[in-house]
Amino acid sequence: MKSLIPKKIFSGNVNKALLVLNVIMAFVYIGWWFLPGHIGNPSLYAVLFIGEIYHLFMAITFWMTIWPNNKRIRKAPIQPETFYPSVDVYITVAGEPLDIIRQTINAAKNIDYKAKKIYVLNDNLVIKDDNWKDVERLAKELKVNCITRTVAGGAKAGNINHALTKTKGEIVVIFDADMKPYPEFLKRTLPYFVDRKVGFVQTPQYYTNHATNEVSQGSWEQQSLFFGPIMQGKDRWNAAFICGTNVAIRRTALVEVGGMCEDNIAEDFLTSLSIHQNGWKSHYIRDVLSEGLAPEDMLSYYKQQLRWARGSLEVLFGSNPLFKKGLSWGQKMQYLSSGLFYLNGIVVLIDITMPIVFLFFGLEPVSTTTMTFAIFFIPFMFLNLYTLYIASGKDVTFKAISFSQSSWALQLTALFSVLMNQKMTFVVTPKQAQEGNFLFLAYPHLAYIFIAVLATIVGIYNYGLNSSVSTNVAWILFNILLFIPFINASYKWNKLFDTFLPKKLPLASQDNT
């Protein structure tokens, strides 16, 4: 039977000519927006134009990320026999099931490297989890070290920093409690540290449960795009960042920046920024060297995405990379685009609202014929999607795009919490599916569908089914189609059907007389 575990997270080779064509078409399209004759309602036009500028900037930074650059692409170095650094393997624990922790400890013990010490970083006591002693007993049973914190603070980052004061390894390797490393993990990552300028080496996150349900599939398909062309592209710019787990970090580099950042819930992202700012190099290996678990329910997925969005936006507003000394312009652009990604919620809200505004009030942001707009817009959008398709190794899916675009509501929640300076605590993503009805997470999407249907009725009644109405209704249908996978994953619809459908009748007993 063929293994489901990929040896690498794949990405495609994008031709430079295709990227140049993208750039040309993008500026042709955005140039069309600058023509004053296309302005409809000035206020709506200005709002929509800002959204288009955002699209253009994100597209350009994506093309910049995946631009072929052979300077950073090379085979993994061979570790000399004289280079044999001591390694501390940290397994961070904060409420995960014991059986999952056991599997990860055993996998860590099987890593093929003698000069390693394994530490279970037990945060169960400070999070008031009753099984904190069970974690200590498990570590003792499996003959590994256990460091139990007694004073809370800094969440996962604080747990790691506390362990740094108790250990001495030259290289620190971090695994989440569900991320089981492969035996060759250190043999593949340590050779890069022969270069004394290398601060950390990041490897992908692979989800073994990716085919379990709609949520795990959508989560994995987003991750495969990130750990494929995006992280591989960032590596070319020496801008790949720490992703919280499956990473090896030089202790010197980590201590130099004061340890993991404790004042941001995306501690890995900001710590990477500081390490790069201090002149350290990073490497990203696309080989899968560990395997873990994706969120299996929409609430867990929502909390995970909300944490990432909040942390990245905090960096954008509080530690903007554009104003950081010590970073190259390429690094600044890469970190900036990663933070700006989570402003996409505003732009999606703008895009999905415009057709409704027209159908209700007859206000048009753009004054032009549908055909004229299509001549400029469709080639630009087609080239974008085709380039994304090629860059992903022809593996990008509609579900991944749907989950990404449907996250606009949680991204707006994260933005509001940052602007209002609301506190948000670090929450570990559950490693088992949570039971319950999570349809409330899709309420904004369902509300949009209701309002959009009403707007369609009003628009057809007021203006008839002319070309402008047809175009805006088409946009509404596209938006609804885009939200359906997200809505579908938010609720176990089979339970709803079971409520209304008749139960299966028992088979009649046989008469043996």
Side-chain angles (χ1 to χ4, degrees), residues 34-223:
F34 277 101
L35 298 178
H38 298 148
I39 299 175
N41 180 279
S43 298
L44 294 180
Y45 181 90
V47 171
L48 195 57
F49 181 68
I50 291 171
E52 293 303 315
I53 292 295
Y54 172 85
H55 284 311
L56 177 64
F57 179 81
M58 295 305 291
I60 289 174
T61 54
F62 177 69
W63 301 330
M64 167 189 164
T65 300
I66 64 176
W67 184 272
N69 179 358
N70 295 326
K71 291 181 180 179
R72 290 276 299 178
I73 302 175
R74 60 188 179 88
K75 294 182 178 179
I78 298 175
Q79 183 175 344
E81 294 183 2
T82 55
F83 183 73
Y84 205 70
S86 56
V87 176
D88 292 333
V89 178
Y90 291 171
I91 300 172
T92 58
V93 171
E96 294 84 357
L98 285 177
D99 60 329
I100 290 178
I101 301 171
R102 178 186 292 273
Q103 292 176 34
T104 302
I105 293 174
N106 283 327
K109 290 177 67 176
N110 289 330
I111 294 177
D112 187 10
Y113 194 75
K114 290 183 179 180
K116 70 178 187 296
K117 291 183 179 180
I118 299 171
Y119 296 88
V120 176
L121 309 191
N122 182 14
D123 244 9
N124 281 4
L125 175 60
V126 297
I127 66 170
K128 296 179 172 57
D129 192 309
D130 293 337
N131 77 342
W132 67 272
K133 289 185 179 179
D134 294 333
V135 174
E136 289 188 336
R137 283 191 285 267
L138 177 63
K140 185 175 181 180
E141 174 195 337
L142 298 180
K143 299 179 180 179
V144 297
N145 305 287
C146 184
I147 301 176
T148 302
R149 275 209 298 172
T150 58
V151 179
K156 179 181 175 181
N159 194 10
I160 293 171
N161 290 339
H162 177 254
L164 284 173
T165 66
K166 306 291 184 181
T167 61
K168 298 180 180 179
E170 298 169 71
I171 306 295
V172 172
V173 176
I174 302 170
F175 295 110
D176 284 347
D178 67 304
M179 282 290 174
K180 297 179 291 185
Y182 293 175
E184 63 269 30
F185 185 91
L186 289 176
K187 285 192 173 181
R188 294 302 312 277
T189 55
L190 288 184
Y192 289 95
F193 290 99
V194 173
D195 182 350
R196 295 185 177 277
K197 292 292 185 180
V198 171
F200 63 87
V201 178
Q202 178 67 53
T203 70
Q205 295 180 25
Y206 173 73
Y207 299 147
T208 55
N209 63 337
H210 63 83
T212 301
N213 56 32
E214 294 291 311
V215 177
S216 62
Q217 286 177 0
S219 179
W220 163 245
E221 288 167 4
Q222 282 183 287
Q223 287 290 78

Side-chain angles (χ1 to χ4, degrees), residues 228-395:
I230 293 175
M231 278 292 277
Q232 291 173 40
K234 288 181 180 296
D235 184 53
R236 296 188 183 102
W237 292 94
N238 190 32
F241 50 80
I242 298 169
C243 299
T245 183
N246 311 345
V247 62
I249 312 174
R250 191 185 298 272
R251 175 184 288 269
T252 306
L254 191 54
V255 171
E256 191 177 276
V257 298
M260 300 295 290
C261 176
E262 295 187 22
D263 56 3
N264 185 298
I265 57 176
E267 81 293 336
D268 43 11
F269 187 64
L270 194 53
T271 301
S272 307
L273 179 63
S274 297
I275 290 175
H276 279 134
Q277 191 179 353
N278 280 10
W280 294 94
K281 293 192 292 186
S282 62
H283 281 284
Y284 172 71
I285 302 175
R286 66 175 180 167
D287 297 9
V288 174
L289 298 174
S290 54
E291 55 186 66
L293 299 173
E296 294 184 2
D297 62 273
M298 188 53 74
L299 183 60
S300 300
Y301 172 84
Y302 183 94
K303 289 180 178 179
Q304 181 190 68
Q305 295 292 319
L306 183 62
R307 185 178 78 242
W308 292 348
R310 170 63 191 261
S312 297
L313 289 172
E314 282 183 2
V315 172
L316 187 64
F317 287 100
S319 303
N320 195 301
L322 279 180
F323 308 108
K324 293 289 186 181
K325 295 180 179 179
L327 298 177
S328 68
W329 74 270
Q331 289 175 320
K332 290 181 178 182
M333 288 297 103
Q334 290 300 318
Y335 276 104
L336 181 64
S337 64
S338 295
L340 283 172
F341 172 79
Y342 291 101
L343 289 180
N344 190 54
I346 299 177
V347 180
V348 172
L349 182 62
I350 291 171
D351 291 342
I352 66 177
T353 301
M354 288 298 172
I356 291 176
V357 170
F358 170 77
L359 292 172
F360 270 130
F361 308 108
L363 299 175
E364 292 183 295
V366 178
S367 178
T368 186
T369 65
T370 301
M371 184 59 68
T372 302
F373 179 73
I375 289 173
F376 288 88
F377 174 76
I378 291 178
F380 168 69
M381 183 55 63
F382 172 79
L383 279 172
N384 262 277
L385 292 175
Y386 180 70
T387 304
L388 180 63
Y389 174 70
I390 296 297
S392 68
K394 301 180 180 180
D395 198 37

